Amino acid sequence: MVKPPPKKKQRFEKNDSSQKPNGKKRTKFSEAKKTPSDDKQKKPAQVFERVRQPDPAQRRRDDSRPDKTTQLKSLRGIVKEKGKARAELSALEPPRVDSKAKPAALKTKPAALIQAEEHPHKPTTFKIIAGSYEKLLYGLEGTFPSSSTSDAAARPIPTLTPIFIFPAHVGSVRSVAASPSNGKWLATGSSADEVVKVWNLRQRKEVGGLFQHTGSITHLTFPSPHHLLSCSEDGTIVLYRTKDWAVLRVFKGHKGKINCVAVHPSGKVALSVGTDRTIRMWDFMRGRSAGSTKIYKEAELVRWSTTGTKFVVQTLNTIDVFSTSMTLLCQITHTARIQDLCFVARPGQSTGSEVLLVAGEDKKVAVYEEGKLETIANGDEAEEVESSSQSIAYKVIGHFIGHDSRVKALATLPISLPSGSQTTYLTTIGSDGKIHLYDLLDFPPNSDATAALSEPPQVLPIATYDTKGSRLTSLTMADGVPPQTAGKRKRDGEDEGEDEDEDEEEADWTDVSSDEEGSNGDSEAVEGEEEEEEAEEDDGWGGIGAK
C-alpha cells in the first residue's frame, strides 16, 4: 500500500491571531499598527507636528463662534451716534502691526520728533565750512591767540587756519549744514547728484551717503544735535536720526521742488516753501502735515525769529513778516536782490533783542531792526512802509561791508571769548571767493546811537580768508573741538585705533590744500560752464517774479 505524501508544516497555526479570517496572513505594517509599543520604536521622530487645517467653507458655516467684528460690536454697547461708535471701536480694536507701513505718531501724549535743547556753554573755538561751484569743500578753524601775547583790554581777534580743502561731490556744493552744540557732524548736498553726504568733523572722514531722495538736494539743516532735515527737488522732506542715520519720517505734501525748510525753536513745528507757491506747516508732534497756505508767489527762503513769535518769507528782493497766526505784519523791500537772511540775538542786550541780517547783491549785509511805523530811510532812497494792514516796521541801522561782489550766504555762531565774555560771530561768503568774519559787538549797541549819525554805520571784518578765485555757494559754522578733560575720554568712540585712522584721514583731507594752485586752475576750466548756469538761474527767477 502506497502511503500519501506527508503534509507541509503550516507556518501559522489556525488559532494564531496573526491569521486573517479569509486565510491571508497579515503584513508587517498591519502587525505594526496592531502593536502600539512597536510603533513607537520603529516610527521616526517628527520635529513638526502636522495639524489638520479647517475647511474654509466649514468655517464660514460655523455660526456658533462670533468673529472679531461681532465681539467689538458687543463691547461697544448701545451707541446710536456714528462718530462716537467709530471712536469706541477704534479704541477697542487692538493695534495692527504692519512691517511695510510707516510708523504712526502716538495719539495720546504725543512727543515731539525733535526735542529742543538748551546749551548754555558757548564754544571757545569754531569751524567755518564753505562749498563752491568748483566741487570743493573748504574748512577753516578759528582759534584765539594765547593770553600772554594778546592785550587784556582789547577783544582778541581769532586766526582763521585752513584745515581741509577737497572735492566733496561730482558737482557744485549747493548746501552744507553742521550739527549744533557739538560740531561733530557735517552734511553736504550737490546739484549734480541725489546724495546727502555725511562727514565726521572731529575724525575728519566721510561716514557715508544718504540715498533717500530722488532729486537734487536743495536745503540741509540740523534742528538739533541728534536730527538732520533734508529737502529736495522731488518734493519731500526727510528726517534722519544721527545716532544710526535711520529715516524717522518722510514728509510729503509739496507739488514740486522745495526751496527751504525752517524748524521752530521749540522743535514742535516746521515751515517749508517751494515752487508750488505755498507755505506748508509740518507737525512734529504727530509727524504729519498740519496745513498749507497759498502765497501766490514762489518763496526762496523762510526763517523763524529767535523767539519763535514770527517768521519771514523771502522772494527776490521782498521780505514778508508773518505772525504765528499767519497775519502779515510787515513787508520789507530791499534795495537789491536777496541771497540769504537770518535773525540773530544781539550780544550784550536784553533777552528778546534781535536784528534781521540780509545779504544781497549790493555787496554788503544790511542790519534791520524792528521799530515804529514811520518813513524809513533805506540808503539813499526813502520808502513809505505805513499801511493799514501793517502793525510793525523794520529800518536799516547799519551794514557789514568788505566784499567786492555779491554776498552769497551768511551764518552766525555764539562764541565764548578767552576773557570769559560772550559775543556772536557773523561769517559771510561772496562770489569774489573771500570769507569774512565779523564781530557783532563792533556794531553800535542800540538804535539811539545810530540815529544820531548822518548815515548808518559800516562795520569791517576782523578776519578774512581768500580762496583765490573760487566761487563760493554755501556756508555753515560749527563748534570747535571740545577741550579734553583730565581722566575722562570723549564718548565719540575715539579709541586708539580710531585715532590712528584719524591721522590717515587728515592726510587725505589736506591733500588738496597742498595743491591749491591746481584747484584754481580747475576753477578757471569750469568758469564758462558756471557762468552759463548762473545766467539760467537769473532768468528763471526773473520769470517767477513777473507773476
Side-chain angles (χ1 to χ4, degrees):
M1 220 180 137
V2 180
K3 295 181 179 181
K7 295 182 179 181
K8 294 182 180 181
K9 188 176 179 180
Q10 294 182 0
R11 187 175 178 180
F12 301 101
E13 297 295 337
K14 291 183 178 180
N15 58 352
D16 191 359
S17 61
S18 63
Q19 185 71 24
K20 290 185 176 182
N22 56 4
K24 295 182 181 180
K25 64 179 181 179
R26 297 180 180 272
T27 60
K28 292 184 179 180
F29 180 73
S30 301
E31 294 175 0
K33 290 178 64 179
K34 187 176 180 181
T35 58
S37 59
D38 296 337
D39 182 36
K40 292 182 181 179
Q41 296 177 359
K42 295 180 181 180
K43 286 180 65 177
Q46 294 183 359
V47 181
F48 300 99
E49 182 181 1
R50 186 174 181 180
V51 181
R52 180 175 176 270
Q53 298 294 334
D55 187 8
Q58 180 67 24
R59 186 176 182 180
R60 286 194 299 268
R61 291 193 299 266
D62 187 9
D63 297 331
S64 61
R65 184 179 179 182
D67 57 358
K68 184 177 180 181
T69 306
T70 307
Q71 293 178 3
L72 292 177
K73 287 183 179 181
S74 62
L75 293 174
R76 177 176 59 179
I78 304 174
V79 180
K80 296 183 179 180
E81 297 181 19
K82 185 177 180 181
K84 292 183 179 180
R86 186 179 298 137
E88 290 188 9
L89 284 175
S90 61
L92 293 174
E93 189 174 2
R96 299 178 181 178
V97 180
D98 189 0
S99 58
K100 296 182 180 181
K102 299 180 181 179
L106 298 176
K107 293 186 178 181
T108 59
K109 296 182 181 180
L113 296 175
I114 301 173
Q115 298 293 337
E117 300 181 4
E118 295 183 359
H119 301 271
H121 301 288
K122 304 298 186 296
T124 55
T125 60
F126 59 93
K127 290 183 177 67
I128 301 174
I129 299 95
S132 66
Y133 277 111
E134 292 77 22
K135 314 172 188 178
L136 298 178
L137 197 65
Y138 291 84
L140 309 178
E141 185 175 16
T143 56
F144 295 98
S146 59
S147 58
S148 59
T149 59
S150 61
D151 188 4
R155 291 196 304 271
I157 298 177
T159 303
L160 300 181
T161 305
I163 54 177
F164 58 82
I165 306 174
F166 65 96
H169 289 268
V170 296
S172 60
V173 182
R174 292 301 183 90
S175 55
V176 293
S179 58
S181 306
N182 56 17
K184 180 180 179 181
W185 303 113
L186 173 69
T188 60
S190 173
S191 60
D193 53 38
E194 304 166 354
V195 184
V196 178
K197 289 192 176 182
V198 181
W199 317 81
N200 191 319
L201 285 177
R202 295 183 184 177
Q203 300 178 5
R204 298 184 187 177
K205 66 178 182 181
E206 181 179 0
V207 178
L210 305 175
F211 299 85
Q212 187 67 27
H213 291 287
T214 58
S216 299
I217 309 302
T218 57
H219 185 73
L220 296 169
T221 181
F222 280 90
S224 74
H226 312 293
H227 299 90
L228 169 66
L229 272 178
S230 65
C231 53
S232 169
E233 292 182 352
D234 58 5
T236 61
I237 302 174
V238 182
L239 176 63
Y240 304 93
R241 181 175 56 199
T242 60
K243 180 181 179 180
D244 50 4
W245 297 109
V247 177
L248 299 182
R249 290 288 189 278
V250 178
F251 300 96
K252 298 180 180 180
H254 279 282
K255 299 179 181 178
K257 171 185 174 182
I258 301 177
N259 293 328
C260 184
V261 61
V263 181
H264 191 268
S266 65
K268 296 181 179 180
V269 296
L271 297 175
S272 61
V273 294
T275 56
D276 56 357
R277 303 186 179 188
T278 61
I279 302 176
R280 186 169 289 273
M281 177 177 288
W282 307 96
D283 187 357
F284 283 171
M285 299 292 290
R286 294 172 176 82
R288 59 181 177 83
S289 175
S292 62
T293 303
K294 276 280 186 180
I295 57 176
Y296 304 101
K297 57 183 177 181
E298 180 180 356
E300 304 172 32
L301 299 173
V302 58
R303 296 284 189 269
W304 283 100
S305 64
T306 57
T307 57
T309 57
K310 53 182 174 293
F311 64 92
V312 295
V313 177
Q314 176 262 330
T315 303
L316 297 178
N317 66 330
T318 304
I319 303 174
D320 295 332
V321 185
F322 292 92
S323 64
T324 53
S325 60
M326 287 302 299
T327 303
L328 181 62
L329 302 177
C330 177
Q331 188 176 59
I332 306 172
T333 303
H334 196 59
T335 55
R337 180 179 173 183
I338 300 171
Q339 296 291 333
D340 198 2
L341 78 164
C342 73
F343 283 96
V344 61
R346 301 191 66 173
Q349 300 292 322
S350 60
T351 305
S353 177
E354 61 182 7
V355 292
L356 177 62
L357 304 179
V358 180
E361 296 187 352
D362 52 358
K363 307 177 184 179
K364 55 188 176 182
V365 177
V367 183
Y368 284 88
E369 186 181 39
E370 183 180 341
K372 299 178 181 179
L373 283 175
E374 59 183 359
T375 302
I376 297 176
N378 189 354
D380 297 334
E381 299 180 359
E383 56 176 324
E384 184 72 25
V385 300
E386 186 173 0
S387 175
S388 59
S389 62
Q390 296 179 354
S391 58
I392 62 174
Y394 280 83
K395 61 180 178 180
V396 177
I397 60 174
H399 297 93
F400 292 98
I401 62 173
H403 283 283
D404 299 329
S405 182
R406 63 177 179 177
V407 182
K408 189 66 177 177
L410 55 86
T412 59
L413 183 68
I415 293 292
S416 179
L417 299 176
S419 60
S421 59
Q422 297 180 358
T423 184
T424 301
Y425 281 163
L426 166 66
T427 304
T428 61
I429 59 173
S431 298
D432 54 1
K434 294 181 181 180
I435 302 175
H436 287 173
L437 181 68
Y438 302 89
D439 190 351
L440 290 185
L441 285 178
D442 292 339
F443 204 80
N446 50 43
S447 58
D448 296 336
T450 59
L453 302 176
S454 58
E455 293 183 359
Q458 296 181 347
V459 180
L460 293 172
I462 59 175
T464 302
Y465 178 79
D466 191 0
T467 60
K468 297 180 181 180
S470 293
R471 299 176 59 193
L472 304 176
T473 57
S474 52
L475 174 68
T476 187
M477 295 185 71
D479 297 350
V481 179
Q484 293 277 2
T485 57
K488 184 183 293 185
R489 295 185 63 88
K490 288 180 289 186
R491 295 180 56 191
D492 299 321
E494 297 177 355
D495 299 332
E496 295 179 0
E498 292 183 354
D499 291 338
E500 295 177 359
D501 297 338
E502 180 179 345
D503 297 336
E504 297 177 359
E505 296 292 342
E506 183 176 359
D508 295 340
W509 279 38
T510 54
D511 283 343
V512 184
S513 62
S514 61
D515 192 12
E516 192 169 346
E517 295 180 358
S519 65
N520 293 332
D522 296 338
S523 64
E524 294 177 0
V526 299
E527 185 176 0
E529 179 182 352
E530 301 299 341
E531 287 179 355
E532 293 178 359
E533 182 179 355
E534 182 182 1
E536 293 177 359
E537 292 178 357
D538 293 340
D539 294 341
W541 287 118
I544 292 170
K547 279 190 178 181

